[in-house]
Amino acid sequence: MSDQEALEAEEQISERVAEEASQADEAPAADEDLEVVELELSDDDIVRYLEDDQGNRIGFVIMEDGEEAEYLYVEDDEDEDVDGEVADDGSLGITRDGVQQATDDMNAIFKDGVKMAAEFKGAFDDIKSALDFSSLLK
């Protein structure tokens, strides 16, 4: 291979790499045109499902104004564990034992509050009787 042929081969490779890079840059721009929409619809509204090469459902098609409209599912990787299971099941970590413990704590606080209110009432009655000047005014 001569130096000229090597230079031409290198230019062709550079052109291919530049072309692939420009295509990679264009792909995210297509995603920017997409809009996240939350829909409420029933199975009767769906005309057909969209599937990828592995047979996984990636979206669906519905009829809008007499024309088919495609919707893709949003991939939400934030809530998934390493195993692919959902990390937050919506339970907020509340257990029966936790509720029982919180109830016991609230009951203890209530009982302490009742005792303190009784003590304050006794102290108030003592102060009120000590400052009672109605007998002097008669």
Side-chain angles (χ1 to χ4, degrees), residues 85-119:
E85 295 180 9
V86 176
D88 183 17
D89 60 353
S91 68
L92 302 175
I94 299 173
T95 61
R96 183 179 295 268
D97 294 334
V99 171
Q100 184 61 45
Q101 182 64 38
T103 302
D104 293 342
D105 292 345
M106 291 302 294
N107 286 338
I109 291 169
F110 177 74
K111 289 177 184 176
D112 289 343
V114 169
K115 287 179 188 176
M116 289 190 75
E119 289 177 20

